[in-house]
Amino acid sequence: KLGNFAWSVDLPEQLLLQTDFRNLFLTIFPNGSSNPQLQDVVMQLDQSAQLKIGRFRVNGSIGYAPPLETSGNFSFTGGGYGATLTDAPSPDGAVIARQYWLGVDIGKDEEFLLRAGRINVPYGLRVVEHPFFVRQVTRTDIDKGQEHGVSLAYSGEKARGEVMAILGNFAIGPDAFRERGGSGYFEWMPTNKVAVGASAMITHADLARTDYDATLAAAPIWRQAYAVHARVSPAKALVLLAEVDFLLNSQLVSNVAQNHWGSTGMVQADLQVYQGIHVLAAGEYYNGHLGENSTDNSTTASAWLGAWWFFAPHLDFRVDGVYTSGFAPGLPPASAGTAILAQIHGYL
């Protein structure tokens, strides 16, 4: 009974509800500096719902992100900007809508789902650690990386997959920054302890996001990403995740083609040492300019070590230590150094 919505509510079979509050306190110790940066981030203050009538579904979430406030080396803000219902946050914060879509189940056993709306992009491992390089540089995280479009998903006993026509992220502007194209994902489970998969994504925008990647020119861009991944559980208490991505940014600048190949990857281990207590370790890398004879050809590496405690029904606490080497061009602006992340999550 405690696992029900709000600890005890029996919802109708057709209705799903979830209320989330997630707060992060982040301490960053930049390399070469004794002055830490302190951030309090309301990562999630969302209400999600789904109503299923027959084969038809209506799904969506609505939330709030506080505005940015700073005082010295301390800042307070909200998460999810880039998934707002308005183009830019106001002094009062922003209304966040990460997902909203209409869907219909298709097939004899409803094994297909056709959706239209704002949807998580079907690409790579869908993990909660949205700062992982594989999610940042491909822009496929579940914090704010959703896109508007149409998708068709398949779920079978041994295989699942999804393809999506990407029509753009209408939470950002102007329109020149919005990417159009497609993405696809496929995963096969040869056993119930092993899953392997592959993804591909190709998008075009009339203007590259130089605020995301200062090595790009202010010109049209084709972005391509191709990934392979695996999920393996060699023992009941252990789960291993791995993903490797190959990246290509293509631009035509002054009638000269500029093609930048890159790669990023990660591996994560999650060990449940006792029921409700997990220890996690991860390593990752990124280089967006492989093989180039320039200062942009540099690799960033990052190591994670954390503990996650599900200490009560609907409540969990997590702390991570993250060391990151010098940041390679192409990653969002950040500082190399050590970070301590502490977050509390409660949900109904």
Side-chain angles (χ1 to χ4, degrees), residues 15 27 44 48-49 55 66 74 84 102 108 129 151 159 170 190 195 200 210 218-219 265 287 291 331 347:
L15 180 64
T27 304
Q44 194 176 14
S48 304
R55 288 178 174 262
F74 174 77
T84 62
L102 300 175
K108 179 182 177 182
E129 293 91 352
S151 82
F170 288 89
T210 56
N287 187 331
L331 286 171
Y347 60 95

Side-chain angles (χ1 to χ4, degrees), residues 157-170:
E157 183 178 350
K158 291 289 186 180
R160 63 178 180 171
E162 185 174 1
V163 292
M164 179 178 179
I166 297 173
L167 304 181
N169 180 1
F170 288 89

